[in-house]
Amino acid sequence: MQTLLEMRDITKTFPGVKALDTVNLSVRQGEIHAIVGENGAGKSTLMKVLSGVYPAGDYEGQIYYDGDIAEFRDISESEARGIIIIHQELALVPLLSIAENLFLGNEVASKGVMQWQETFQRTEGLLRKVGLRESPGTLVDSLGVGKQQLVEIAKALSKEVRLLILDEPTAALSESDSQALLDLILELKAQGVTSIIISHKLNEVRRVADTVTVIRDGTTVSTIDARAEPVTEDRIVRDMVGRDMAHRYPDRQRRAGEMLMEIKDWNVWHPEHAERQVITDVNLSVRAGEVVGIAGLMGAGRTELAMSVFGRSYGRNISGTVEMHGKPVDTSSVTKAIEAGLAYVTEDRKSLGLILEETIRKNVSLANLEGVSSNGVLDENRETEVAEKYRKAMNIRTPGVFQKVMNLSGGNQQKVVLSKWLFSGPEVLILDEPTRGIDVGAKFEIYGIINELSAEGKGVVMISSEMPELLGMCDRIYVMNEGAFVGELTAEEASQERIMSLIVTDE
Amino acid sequence: MSVAEQTGESTPRKSVTEYLASHLREYGLLFALIAIMVFFQIVTDGTLLRAINVTNLLLQNSYIVIMALGMLVVIVSGNIDLSVGSVMGFIGALAAVMIVQWEQSVPVTALACIVAGGLIGAAQGYWVAYWKIPSFIVTLAGMLVFRGLSLWLLEGQSVGPFPREFQMIANGFVPDIFPEGFGQALAGIFGARNINVLALGTGIISAAAIVWLGLRARARNKAYGIEDEPRSFFVARNVIVSAALVFILYKLSAFRGLPNVLITMGVLTIIYAFITENTVLGRRIYALGGNAKAAKLSGIKTERLTFLAFVNMGILAAVAGMVFAARLNTATPKAGFALELDVIAAVFIGGASMSGGVGKIVGAVVGAFLMGVLNNGMSIMGIGIDYQQMIKGLVLLAAVIFDVYNKNKQG
């Protein structure tokens, strides 16, 4: 098979650090090539070099594309050759329609006047190709993340894509949406489109990839040909982290103690559409030292449940009671919920969890400023000590607590959010997708922290879209679908099949 | 990303130039102010820094500085207040009508004005905080409403003059507490006509206090291993700031001493600097502006904070309104016209960010004086109001471009 892309000895230096060090990557025509590596390993930088975000001359090494040397000066030049990147953060305009988004910057127009008929026709064709059954006039805003991802791919197809690069395409998708997306990538391959897929999810990589390149610390560690030899997840993990990882989940002692928190008959309505019930009759309990999971598809209402309990941060007409140690508590505002002993670690750490422009120190103290002040006056020394303590305990990898949070990797940011909530002294922590978008090594550390918390007698509610994670970590799993709990499984009973069957038989 | 982590680890101690590069904004502002003062001192043949003009400079800009304190809080919280010029004019009108036409006493009037300012702030803050109506729109409406209200209250006329007691708010001076002979003895040494010992003493004591506080913070930073400015910078900065402070107070002491307004301004500046930098309340305002959603989910009552920021702004606009009316000794329907723009410009020149979460009280005060010196210097030179406006506009643009450029460079 012919080589479509070859990147040779790519070295990219930022002031003071080598982000890429003689990386080699060879992608054959018509294959699906997976690039895996921890966060910060250099995957995204490599793709930025390829697409011209870092223009030719800004890096060392050569790129051969389709037989010639390629020296892209910006993205439009690489796009003109059929290299299309779909970034992790989707680049769609939410208040424009699907059709308008598909042809944004590439409008179907004659003499500057939009040709709506043709735009809509071509949009319909493209949507059929990616299997998205939506009208071209639908606003992107009203689509879920999974469907938005499909719109992005349709947009790539509208540009005669030859090499499609997907950066963490399934990071924000539910299990079934992910499957559909992977099927689509396989189908595009059958049509001759070459793909590079950057992913953390090794089961997905194993499913679709023909070749796997592992990058660690800015260099190529290994390239595995999946057609020649079987690729095991252990092998990839070993290459990624540079060490054996016997267990993906740390061992934990189960010791559920006394009843900590009970949520009874919880009902929530949609904040804007008053007639739509989002959460229906949910009952949930957590004991001291217990890790309880909530499984479900994207849109099942898990985040809505958590946020409505935590200070009524979501929804309206909320009814039901929250009890701590058997006594009803008031959680009607975030402050009261914190006082009652609750903490909610958001799934969206960048926009809901952190003040990115601020330092680690100021983020850690934010939910408990009383703890670092007396009579309303801040004691900055104490604040620094507290932040230092958590930096060490959580193994946040930075030189100090005066680093701005936006400069940290996803895993370290997540540890800052966790630190903030631990410092608020909660008894029950609700962790919403605690390992989303962070690498294998940091995931393992977060699991360790969760186990420590439960060993200290805290109750943990863990919401996750990654079923293996729930199965590996939880003592008990609630299965949620369309705003209601449709099942409850103990760790022994639970399996991916049982969870899925509970969801799909709930009609 | 790991890029930043590694840079930090490989260079634990930054060099002097790197330090300067990352703190260019703060030093740049200070040096810009000094450079502008030196420039005008030369081109006006020394008029700029004559004792009487220094006193005037402080008096002329006092109401801008007072409002800039409140505006900084509003802007840091992620909002804007376009109504302050009108509110200031309205309060001045209220004070004039109460004292001159209704014959109320000065203390009653002052209290009523401050309460009115607070209520005005509350009325605007309510819509911004609890109804989530953009502050730009609410305060644009307020700007028109209060401009109209002043016209209505004054019936289109100027109302004045004020009793002496009220004028003292802006034009009074603190009497020297030291015996007269003491000052005259000092005057002999300096070759001045008279020296107000209280003013000079205040200058020396505050300069010493600044150095002492700086040294203490430095020692503490060192104990915690926090990156701090290089020693040479610390020394240079403190020498310049304290010398400038003593120099200005010396100039004041050679004229009529400490203006009452300077005391008001100084005390308010210290209070607001302390609140914004050292209290839980201040931290929460920065958090609100930095990321309102994250702040809310961390248990911060974001609505109430926004509301309070506007109440505070209203109160400070009321104080400024009284100072302004007292200074002119009359209230006119035009008072405070377009002044909100000077106040907002001062805050942005001082380094605050339009998107909130960034900005310092000291920056806003220096920004206000930078604009003030420009105004004053150009007026002394006899430059027309047309050119003055253009130059001020370009200075504002340059300051913000400098900010953005700096931020991009740091990446």
Side-chain angles (χ1 to χ4, degrees):
Chain A
M1 217 186 277
Q2 203 185 335
T3 302
L4 176 68
L5 169 78
E6 183 154 16
M7 298 180 79
R8 250 183 242 163
D9 298 335
I10 303 290
T11 299
K12 166 79 187 154
T13 320
F14 291 107
V17 62
K18 247 184 194 172
L20 296 175
D21 190 2
T22 58
V23 173
N24 289 293
L25 176 70
S26 173
V27 179
R28 282 167 298 186
Q29 180 82 48
E31 74 167 350
I32 297 177
H33 193 119
I35 300 181
V36 295
E38 291 194 292
N39 268 353
K43 296 164 304 196
S44 299
T45 313
L46 185 66
M47 290 305 108
K48 282 179 180 167
V49 166
L50 171 58
S51 61
V53 173
Y54 300 126
D58 234 27
Y59 55 86
E60 291 159 43
Q62 293 85 41
I63 301 174
Y64 296 91
Y65 177 69
D66 204 13
D68 336 310
I69 289 194
E71 290 179 334
F72 302 125
R73 277 168 302 184
D74 56 33
I75 301 183
S76 62
E77 289 194 3
S78 62
E79 278 194 356
R81 301 283 309 269
I83 302 178
I84 312 270
I85 289 200
I86 296 175
H87 291 282
Q88 209 171 340
E89 279 97 22
L90 297 179
L92 297 172
V93 185
L95 291 177
L96 290 183
S97 67
I98 296 177
E100 285 167 308
N101 266 292
L102 282 191
F103 294 98
L104 197 63
N106 189 20
E107 288 82 0
V108 187
S110 90
K111 298 194 179 76
V113 178
M114 290 292 294
Q115 303 293 306
W116 289 114
Q117 283 286 336
E118 201 192 330
T119 306
F120 275 60
Q121 255 171 21
R122 281 173 61 182
T123 304
E124 274 172 7
L126 288 165
L127 291 184
R128 256 199 308 280
K129 252 190 187 170
V130 298
L132 179 59
R133 263 175 293 170
E134 290 284 342
S135 140
T138 311
L139 292 189
V140 163
D141 203 22
S142 64
L143 302 177
V145 195
K147 289 181 173 176
Q148 291 190 10
Q149 193 75 255
L150 295 179
V151 174
E152 280 274 16
I153 293 176
K155 189 174 170 183
L157 295 181
S158 78
K159 293 177 189 160
E160 321 241 316
V161 59
R162 294 193 60 199
L163 175 59
L164 182 65
I165 302 166
L166 298 124
D167 192 354
E168 304 265 356
T170 60
L173 301 193
S174 66
E175 203 77 28
S176 62
D177 281 351
S178 303
Q179 295 307 327
L181 184 77
L182 295 174
D183 287 340
L184 175 62
I185 297 170
L186 287 168
E187 203 183 305
L188 291 175
K189 173 184 156 187
Q191 294 169 17
V193 176
T194 313
S195 304
I196 294 178
I197 158 167
I198 296 176
S199 184
H200 279 134
K201 297 187 184 170
L202 302 184
N203 55 341
E204 295 176 357
V205 168
R206 245 184 46 183
R207 199 182 135 201
V208 299
D210 301 310
T211 314
V212 180
T213 295
V214 183
I215 293 183
R216 183 173 77 225
D217 299 331
T219 52
T220 319
V221 179
S222 58
T223 299
I224 309 162
D225 189 339
R227 283 164 299 203
E229 52 181 317
V231 181
T232 63
E233 289 185 25
D234 282 347
R235 160 86 198 272
I236 302 177
V237 169
R238 198 166 60 228
D239 286 347
M240 275 170 76
V241 297
R243 61 177 186 273
D244 260 312
M245 199 174 271
H247 304 286
R248 201 89 68 76
Y249 305 97
D251 291 329
R252 50 181 262 105
Q253 301 269 314
R254 298 225 176 103
R255 49 182 151 214
E258 49 150 346
M259 183 61 75
L260 253 186
M261 181 182 77
E262 277 180 282
I263 299 170
K264 290 183 176 165
D265 305 323
W266 201 254
N267 284 285
V268 179
W269 271 263
H270 194 277
E272 278 119 43
H273 309 287
E275 73 292 343
R276 217 161 91 199
Q277 190 163 3
V278 185
I279 306 290
T280 315
D281 295 329
V282 163
N283 286 284
L284 177 150
S285 65
V286 198
R287 292 174 173 276
E290 204 180 16
V291 178
V292 177
I294 304 180
L297 303 178
M298 195 68 82
R302 296 167 300 170
T303 298
E304 290 79 359
L305 169 65
M307 287 184 70
S308 62
V309 170
F310 189 67
R312 314 224 161 148
S313 304
Y314 174 89
R316 64 156 95 179
N317 296 339
I318 297 169
S319 65
T321 51
V322 180
E323 291 180 5
M324 296 290 286
H325 303 288
K327 291 190 195 82
V329 289
D330 183 1
T331 61
S332 61
S333 75
V334 174
T335 319
K336 285 176 183 157
I338 293 173
E339 275 166 18
L342 283 181
Y344 169 66
V345 178
T346 169
E347 58 169 343
D348 188 351
R349 60 180 165 264
K350 282 190 177 162
S351 65
L352 300 180
L354 294 166
I355 301 176
L356 291 170
E357 292 261 359
E358 285 292 4
T359 57
I360 296 173
R361 178 181 75 146
K362 290 187 180 177
N363 272 286
V364 168
S365 63
L366 195 60
N368 185 14
L369 285 171
E370 287 76 17
V372 292
S373 63
S374 43
N375 301 322
V377 177
L378 290 170
D379 180 344
E380 299 207 334
N381 299 349
R382 204 152 83 202
E383 192 182 21
T384 309
E385 277 166 12
V386 166
E388 260 317 319
K389 188 185 100 191
Y390 281 104
R391 183 178 77 89
K392 294 205 179 96
M394 294 273 187
N395 195 15
I396 301 172
R397 285 188 206 88
T398 67
V401 295
F402 292 88
Q403 292 273 322
K404 283 189 180 171
V405 174
M406 65 179 186
N407 295 330
L408 305 181
S409 67
N412 283 325
Q413 286 182 346
Q414 188 67 354
K415 290 179 192 168
V416 174
V417 181
L418 275 171
S419 304
K420 172 172 88 173
W421 286 111
L422 291 184
F423 183 54
S424 76
E427 289 182 89
V428 175
L429 287 107
I430 307 172
L431 309 178
D432 198 348
E433 305 281 359
T435 64
R436 168 178 292 175
I438 68 180
D439 59 65
V440 179
K443 271 185 186 176
F444 192 81
E445 287 181 284
I446 300 271
Y447 298 144
I449 293 166
I450 293 173
N451 283 345
E452 275 171 38
L453 292 175
S454 79
E456 286 168 21
K458 296 192 191 305
V460 176
V461 178
M462 184 167 166
I463 298 171
S464 177
S465 294
E466 285 183 44
M467 272 190 237
E469 176 176 281
L470 289 177
L471 296 170
M473 290 297 300
C474 296
D475 304 332
R476 207 148 48 84
I477 298 174
Y478 290 103
V479 183
M480 193 169 190
N481 192 35
E482 291 180 355
F485 281 177
V486 293
E488 183 184 340
L489 303 167
T490 63
E492 291 74 27
E493 297 168 333
S495 67
Q496 296 210 29
E497 291 72 27
R498 286 203 64 170
I499 293 174
M500 276 317 289
S501 73
L502 277 170
I503 293 172
V504 292
T505 54
D506 171 55
E507 289 305 331
Chain B
M1 296 258 317
S2 65
V3 173
E5 294 161 32
Q6 287 166 25
T7 3
E9 272 160 21
S10 59
T11 53
R13 287 201 73 83
K14 283 185 176 174
S15 69
V16 172
T17 44
E18 271 179 74
Y19 181 83
L20 184 63
S22 59
H23 292 79
L24 205 55
R25 191 61 174 80
E26 290 117 68
Y27 292 106
L29 191 64
L30 189 62
F31 286 125
L33 180 63
I34 293 169
I36 287 173
M37 288 179 81
V38 169
F39 171 77
F40 282 116
Q41 174 72 358
I42 294 168
V43 296
T44 61
D45 293 328
T47 312
L48 184 82
L49 291 182
R50 274 173 53 191
I52 181 166
N53 195 52
V54 170
T55 307
N56 263 337
L57 244 171
L58 290 173
L59 295 184
Q60 271 171 7
N61 292 294
S62 52
Y63 41 89
I64 306 258
V65 171
I66 291 168
M67 288 197 288
L69 301 175
M71 189 64 80
L72 179 102
V73 174
V74 168
I75 287 176
V76 164
S77 78
N79 292 293
I80 192 113
D81 190 340
L82 298 174
S83 72
V84 293
S86 296
V87 172
M88 193 196 90
F90 172 70
I91 296 291
L94 181 66
V97 169
M98 280 187 78
I99 290 179
V100 179
Q101 292 177 355
W102 303 347
E103 295 175 353
Q104 296 294 319
S105 74
V106 171
V108 168
T109 307
L111 190 67
C113 284
I114 285 173
V115 170
L119 288 175
I120 290 170
Q124 301 194 89
Y126 171 74
W127 300 111
V128 177
Y130 298 103
W131 286 68
K132 309 271 180 279
I133 300 175
S135 55
F136 189 95
I137 295 168
V138 172
T139 59
L140 183 64
M143 176 173 143
L144 297 168
V145 167
F146 294 108
R147 176 66 49 214
L149 269 177
S150 336
L151 261 168
W152 171 78
L153 195 61
L154 294 171
E155 293 167 341
Q157 313 281 313
S158 292
V159 175
F162 289 102
R164 211 183 125 60
E165 198 187 347
F166 189 78
Q167 286 180 46
M168 292 294 280
I169 295 176
N171 298 334
F173 290 84
V174 183
D176 201 348
I177 48 168
F178 293 94
E180 211 173 304
F182 202 47
Q184 270 161 6
L186 274 177
I189 303 171
F190 290 110
R193 237 179 305 153
N194 183 34
I195 288 287
N196 182 307
V197 183
L198 178 67
L200 190 58
T202 309
I204 292 167
I205 289 168
S206 17
I210 286 177
V211 173
W212 182 69
L213 285 174
L215 283 172
R216 216 177 59 154
R218 219 175 140 73
R220 197 186 58 211
N221 283 355
K222 202 168 178 185
Y224 281 87
I226 298 165
E227 174 213 359
D228 207 348
E229 61 183 339
R231 180 185 297 264
S232 52
F233 276 76
F234 176 76
V235 172
R237 188 171 53 88
N238 275 286
V239 165
I240 293 173
V241 169
S242 31
L245 203 62
V246 172
F247 177 77
I248 285 167
L249 269 299
Y250 164 71
K251 286 288 180 185
L252 292 178
S253 71
F255 185 56
R256 289 173 60 187
L258 288 175
N260 289 343
V261 163
L262 181 66
I263 305 287
T264 314
M265 210 159 52
V267 169
L268 285 176
T269 303
I270 291 168
I271 290 174
Y272 279 90
F274 181 77
I275 290 176
T276 52
E277 284 174 37
N278 295 306
T279 66
V280 172
L281 181 67
R283 177 65 62 77
R284 287 185 171 158
I285 292 169
Y286 282 89
L288 161 66
N291 186 343
K293 286 179 187 163
K296 194 167 177 163
L297 274 180
S298 300
I300 292 172
K301 297 188 175 79
T302 51
E303 284 95 356
R304 201 166 70 185
L305 267 186
T306 307
F307 178 72
L308 289 178
F310 278 92
V311 172
N312 174 62
M313 183 71 251
I315 291 172
L316 287 174
V319 173
M322 286 188 283
V323 170
F324 189 82
R327 181 168 156 71
L328 293 189
N329 199 13
T330 176
T332 72
K334 280 240 152 207
F337 184 73
L339 210 65
E340 58 278 344
L341 302 179
D342 282 0
V343 175
I344 293 167
V347 172
F348 286 134
I349 288 175
S353 155
M354 185 78 203
S355 52
V358 179
K360 280 191 162 181
I361 284 290
V362 178
V365 171
V366 174
F369 277 115
L370 199 140
M371 292 290 262
V373 171
L374 269 177
N375 275 334
N376 184 276
M378 288 191 292
S379 298
I380 298 172
M381 283 172 70
I383 294 178
I385 192 83
D386 42 0
Y387 287 105
Q388 287 198 22
Q389 296 276 8
M390 287 188 248
I391 290 170
K392 272 160 60 183
L394 292 176
V395 166
L396 171 63
L397 184 64
V400 177
I401 290 173
F402 188 70
D403 262 1
V404 173
Y405 172 76
N406 247 336
K407 207 173 168 187
N408 290 344
K409 213 173 55 176
Q410 280 175 41

